[in-house]
Amino acid sequence: MTYRHCNTRSASGPSVAFALPAGLTNGGVTTWALALSKRLNQKNHSSKLICHSPWPGHGTFKSDGRSDLIYCDGLAWAAGINAIRGFLATYSAVKAEIFVPNWSWGTYGTVALMSLDEACDIRVVAFAHTDQDHYYELLTYYEPIISKFVGVSEATCQRLRRVLPARLNDICKLMYPVAVRSESRKPDHEKPLTITYAGRIQQRQKRIFDLIALADLLAVKSGSYHFEIVGDGLQLTQLAEHFERTKYSNVSIEFLGLVAHECMTDLWANSDISILFSEYEGMSLSMLESMGQGCVPIVTDVSGAKEKITHGQTGFVVSVGDVGAMAQIIADLDADRDRLQQISNACISSLRDHHRFDAYDQEFGKIMRECMSGPSARWPGTKAVLPIK
């Protein structure tokens, strides 16, 4: 069956659809897409979110009041050819001019298959959200239908330039926008130091079990430390059960579960330190959001970290796995709250005027308009829409 795809050009700019390959499960790409789509629609710029089925056993964000969500039955991550044929009706019904497939073979494969219809008139914007081999393999394979490549950090852009030397003019950098405080924070030196992690609760990529080692190290230091753990993931139950069995005199651990993106600003504003244990990132959205609220980041040396953090001035960067260094920095900041306050203010100043929502949305709109000035996406008929694994 052929699904006809007709676009209606809007005076406000091309319509766009963001694919959420695992639905509304926890992750920076999800929160970024939810927020961007909402802002675009508020500006009368038509945007839809194609929401696939979530990972089994994973919690999902609530979607009350979201008119831009279009549900597509089936997880896109490991989707085969029959599954993506089943996705076609939903993708075509969205009637978008621009597709942002994000991070899965299933979503890119669906758009590639859709483009084989000669009546289809679409463009594809490819984001490299993470500095990881998977992304570069994905974008290299689907390069024939991609109009623009967007890196979220200088590291991701440099890698894109290396793997796609013939497309240098189509590669650009666009860092996530975040809310930034207009004034400094008022410190409370009497309360325990609040340390927040927000992200997927999983060992793969996020190295979440480093939290156990960090808590153990802080337990033998002076000071009082309170951890707030935000998110959901495969290791949540195991981690929570560990801390139920392990009690400390000066360290407390609180699991907050999934927190709506709209509520994260207040959470960061009430936290002193944000932490990141990751093996790799693109440009950590939680890192940027925390800095915008004066929450001092202590993160691993991954893509985006040194691009935004000057060590010791606007945060701290440690080697992946160096939990000892992270613990010592936290203990030192607890002992010197004036220095913590100084770095907090520097974090706010460093992001001000560089991550504004309006500037981001204007640049994204420009990228889409440039896409529309070029040819339609058209997948080569001789190439498999899904690679043979």
Side-chain angles (χ1 to χ4, degrees):
M1 181 180 294
T2 299
Y3 296 95
R4 293 295 176 185
H5 177 86
C6 300
N7 295 321
T8 302
R9 295 290 169 89
S10 169
S12 61
S15 56
V16 60
F18 300 88
L20 299 176
L24 298 179
T25 47
N26 187 40
V29 175
T30 302
T31 54
W32 162 79
L34 282 167
L36 178 54
S37 181
K38 183 177 181 178
R39 295 197 308 274
L40 291 173
N41 281 309
Q42 287 172 341
K43 298 172 182 176
N44 296 318
H45 193 136
S46 178
S47 175
K48 297 293 183 183
L49 296 157
I50 301 173
C51 188
H52 283 267
S53 300
W55 301 103
H58 283 62
T60 58
F61 291 107
K62 293 182 179 179
S63 59
D64 300 343
R66 296 291 304 229
S67 61
D68 53 347
L69 282 177
I70 306 294
Y71 288 95
C72 187
D73 189 36
L75 179 67
W77 170 249
I81 187 65
N82 290 331
I84 68 171
R85 285 176 180 143
F87 301 157
L88 272 178
T90 302
Y91 276 57
S92 297
V94 171
K95 293 180 167 50
E97 296 163 273
I98 303 281
F99 278 85
V100 182
N102 284 313
W103 47 262
S104 83
W105 297 97
T107 52
Y108 273 95
T110 304
V111 174
L113 188 61
M114 185 168 62
S115 76
L116 289 172
D117 184 347
E118 291 184 359
C120 183
D121 182 24
I122 60 173
R123 314 299 189 276
V124 177
V125 177
F127 276 78
H129 289 289
T130 303
D131 185 25
Q132 187 209 12
D133 288 347
H134 160 73
Y135 265 101
Y136 305 112
E137 292 169 4
L138 182 69
L139 303 193
T140 299
Y141 190 83
Y142 288 105
E143 182 268 337
I145 58 168
I146 296 171
S147 296
K148 291 288 183 181
F149 300 84
V150 181
V152 298
S153 68
E154 188 55 38
T156 55
C157 287
Q158 288 178 358
R159 185 82 179 271
L160 285 170
R161 294 178 192 120
R162 287 198 298 271
V163 300
L164 297 164
R167 300 294 303 274
L168 296 181
N169 292 335
D170 298 321
I171 297 169
C172 58
K173 182 171 75 172
L174 191 57
M175 291 190 290
Y176 303 123
V178 294
V180 180
R181 292 174 66 95
S182 58
E183 73 287 330
S184 61
R185 291 165 41 154
K186 294 183 174 65
D188 182 355
H189 293 177
E190 301 303 317
K191 71 179 182 67
L193 201 67
T194 301
I195 307 157
T196 298
Y197 170 86
R200 292 191 299 281
I201 313 297
Q202 66 182 43
Q203 183 64 9
R204 180 180 178 272
Q205 181 191 357
K206 300 299 183 179
R207 293 180 60 98
I208 194 60
F209 289 143
D210 283 0
L211 176 63
I212 296 173
L214 180 59
D216 288 345
L217 288 168
L218 290 174
V220 298
K221 295 182 181 294
S222 60
S224 183
Y225 310 97
H226 176 67
F227 285 89
E228 292 186 339
I229 310 303
V230 179
D232 177 68
L234 295 174
Q235 276 70 53
L236 175 59
T237 300
Q238 185 178 354
L239 200 65
E241 289 177 349
H242 170 84
F243 286 115
E244 279 291 320
R245 297 189 304 268
T246 308
K247 301 298 181 182
Y248 309 97
S249 62
N250 66 333
V251 177
S252 58
I253 314 285
E254 183 179 7
F255 289 89
L256 302 181
L258 285 177
V259 173
H261 184 253
E262 295 81 0
C263 300
M264 284 302 300
T265 299
D266 287 341
L267 192 146
W268 289 125
N270 290 302
S271 299
D272 299 301
I273 290 172
S274 66
I275 52 175
L276 188 71
F277 305 109
S278 300
E279 291 182 1
Y280 51 86
E281 290 286 342
M283 174 65 74
S284 170
L285 183 56
S286 66
M287 178 189 75
L288 291 176
E289 289 178 335
S290 69
M291 293 175 70
Q293 297 306 308
C295 186
V296 176
I298 305 175
V299 303
T300 47
D301 188 4
V302 292
S303 168
K306 289 182 177 176
E307 189 173 346
K308 299 309 299 182
I309 295 173
T310 300
H311 185 78
Q313 297 180 32
T314 56
F316 300 86
V317 180
V318 304
S319 299
V320 174
D322 194 352
V323 184
M326 189 175 285
Q328 189 60 54
I329 292 167
I330 292 171
D332 290 345
L333 291 174
D334 181 56
D336 189 351
R337 295 296 184 98
D338 289 337
R339 186 179 184 218
L340 178 68
Q341 176 67 11
Q342 181 183 15
I343 298 173
S344 170
N345 293 336
C347 286
I348 297 168
S349 297
S350 71
L351 262 64
R352 191 171 289 142
D353 299 328
H354 295 290
H355 292 268
R356 293 185 298 109
F357 292 104
D358 282 348
Y360 184 96
D361 297 347
Q362 290 173 12
E363 188 61 27
F364 183 72
K366 178 183 175 183
I367 290 170
M368 290 197 295
R369 290 192 297 273
E370 289 176 353
C371 288
M372 296 306 298
S373 68
S376 299
R378 197 69 65 203
W379 187 250
T382 57
K383 188 174 183 178
V385 296
L386 287 174
I388 299 172
K389 297 287 187 179

